[in-house]
């Protein structure tokens, strides 16, 4: 340890000192959430020690394919992203909006207790920081602020991890959302495994991050170690196999509402909704009212929902998106076009989850490319 660290400082933690960081965060009252292996996938859940992290595991991904494999080293963050995203902790999947009780004195609204959970997310990738920023716009930027989301968001400590290997379905480089974390973190780790012993280069992104890091066993980073971390992230960017051209994407999709490609993708899409459930930015919800059998207790709840169901667009007598074509088209057009009108940003951060977890391997980058190329081949666009 030694001097107090400042915002922007970069230091080296030996692998085992990450446990010290977890202990410091725990002592400060944070619930530690991070990657762990469960059901043959890397998921996000409560972690208590280094033992819970996916040491020595990597994920092999392609369209419709996900496999865990052992690595030749003991990397703690040697995987990319799994089926979970951080939204499950920020955007609660089931929230009571209000509750009312009736008794002999009449109907009264029951006050809910204000929750202010303090969480520390360990291992947030750059694309995921962008996804959290997108949901911040949805739930905190406008006139209507979501109190449940806001309280979770404001009490969050973020430990980002810079990607040093690209996943098989990632395309963050073309979405300008990665692989290096550039904002939204308290600490950012780059894990360097090709040295003995392997180490973590850690950067303080906030004053709180610097204060936490000052309490953890560390040493100064040499210029070579800083350069090695930069080089590893740049190499990751070069490895990325998929791209999605965002040039004029909103106008492209608006012009192509009747493109035959929508029929083509609909003939493959099962409308299972997996793509929306794994997507870190999708936020569809439904509202349901309940009354108990005595008729004395009523409540309204908000639950996560999926825009691929018929019910989601059901209004007085029928669904307005009754065909798979209409549902896939609205999902992709929302991600890449209407989202821009609503929130000023794209709704896709290029994490690749919807490609990996689609059971029939539908690839959003391929679908967007096919629509763009169909215009070019018909000479309808310059
Ligand atoms: S695109 Fe794939 S994951 Fe999404 S609803 Fe269709 S079949 Fe399911
Ligand atoms: S649309 Fe697909 S690639 Fe884009 S953020 Fe959602 S899951 Fe990731």
């Amino acid at each position: 340890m030694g001097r107090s660290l400042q915002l922007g400082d970069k230091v080296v933690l030996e692998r085992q000192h990450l446990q010290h960081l977890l202990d410091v965060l725990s002592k400060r009252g944070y619930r530690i959430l991070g990657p762990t292996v469960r059901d043959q996938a890397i998921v996000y859940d409560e972690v208590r020690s280094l033992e819970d992290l996916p040491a020595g595991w990597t994920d092999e991904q392609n369209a419709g394919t996900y496999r865990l494999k052992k690595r030749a080293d003991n990397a703690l963050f040697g995987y990319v992203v799994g089926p979970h995203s951080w939204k499950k902790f920020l955007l609660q999947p089931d929230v009571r909006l209000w509750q009312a009780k009736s008794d002999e004195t009449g109907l009264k609204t029951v006050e809910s207790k204000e929750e202010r959970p303090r969480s520390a997310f360990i291992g947030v990738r750059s694309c995921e920081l962008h996804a959290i920023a997108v949901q911040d716009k949805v739930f905190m930027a406008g006139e209507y602020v979501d109190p449940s989301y806001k309280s979770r968001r404001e009490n969050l400590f973020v430990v980002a991890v810079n990607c040093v290997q690209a996943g098989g379905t990632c395309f963050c480089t073309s979405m300008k959302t990665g692989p290096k974390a550039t904002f939204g973190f308290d600490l950012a780790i780059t894990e360097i495994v090709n040295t003995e012993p392997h180490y973590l280069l850690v950067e303080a992104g906030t004053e709180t991050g610097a204060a936490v890091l000052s309490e953890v066993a560390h040493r100064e980073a040499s210029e070579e170690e800083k350069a090695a971390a930069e080089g590893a992230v740049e190499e990751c960017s070069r490895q990325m196999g998929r791209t999605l051209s965002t040039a004029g994407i909103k106008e492209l999709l608006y012009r192509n509402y009747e493109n035959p490609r929508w029929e083509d993708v609909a003939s493959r899409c099962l409308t299972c909704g997996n793509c929306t459930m794994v997507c870190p930015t999708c936020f569809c919800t439904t509202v349901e009212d309940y009354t108990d059998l005595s008729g004395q207790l009523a409540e309204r709840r908000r639950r996560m929902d999926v825009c691929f169901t018929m019910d989601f667009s059901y209004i007085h007598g029928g669904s307005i998106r009754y065909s798979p074509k209409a549902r896939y088209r609205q999902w992709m057009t929302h991600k890449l076009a209407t989202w821009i009108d609503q929130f000023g940003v794209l709704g896709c951060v290029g994490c690749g989850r919807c490609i990996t977890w689609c059971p029939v391997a539908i690839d959003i980058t391929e679908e967007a490319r096919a629509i763009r190329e169909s215009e070019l081949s018909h000479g309808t666009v310059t």
Side-chain angles (χ1 to χ4, degrees), residues 127 131 169 171 175 275-276 278-282 331 335-336 347-355 364-365:
C127 63
T169 55
F171 54 102
M175 304 304 278
C275 47
T276 70
V278 295
C279 179
T281 64
C282 278
W331 178 72
K335 292 274 132 191
L336 299 176
C348 172
V349 296
C351 72
R353 285 182 178 91
C354 58
I355 306 170
I364 189 171
T365 67

Side-chain angles (χ1 to χ4, degrees), residues 41-44 61 66 81-85 277-279 353 357:
I42 292 171
V43 298
Y44 297 146
Q61 303 193 38
Y66 179 95
V81 289
H84 286 190
S85 71
M277 288 186 279
V278 295
C279 179
R353 285 182 178 91
W357 296 95

